[in-house]
Amino acid sequence: MSGLRVVPTWRHGREQLYVRLPDGRNIAWYDREAARVNLLSEDRRDDVLQALAPFLTGPVAVGPPP
């Protein structure tokens, strides 16, 4: 188990899901409207995608924030 938490938030009128470490630091977020997972660190990519899997509906872009 990765220990990551997924926390839903609303920011600028858009729903986003933040992926957080057990200590509360964000390591990624998923913007549902843009269908994009923004990673702050590539080394946790697989863990982030596994934590977000129940929330992903279809293909998404994955990478660092634009």
Side-chain angles (χ1 to χ4, degrees), residues 5-66:
R5 287 188 312 140
V6 177
V7 179
T9 63
W10 285 90
R11 186 176 176 127
H12 304 294
R14 299 177 89 157
E15 183 180 14
Q16 296 180 338
L17 299 172
Y18 281 85
V19 181
R20 295 185 176 166
L21 293 169
D23 66 5
R25 289 181 294 147
N26 293 326
I27 60 169
W29 68 93
Y30 171 47
D31 184 333
R32 288 184 175 205
E33 288 183 33
R36 178 170 180 81
V37 176
N38 298 285
L39 298 170
L40 297 178
S41 177
E42 273 291 323
D43 62 333
R44 299 292 302 260
R45 178 185 183 113
D46 293 335
D47 292 335
V48 166
L49 292 176
Q50 183 179 8
L52 286 172
F55 305 99
L56 301 178
T57 57
V60 295
V62 179

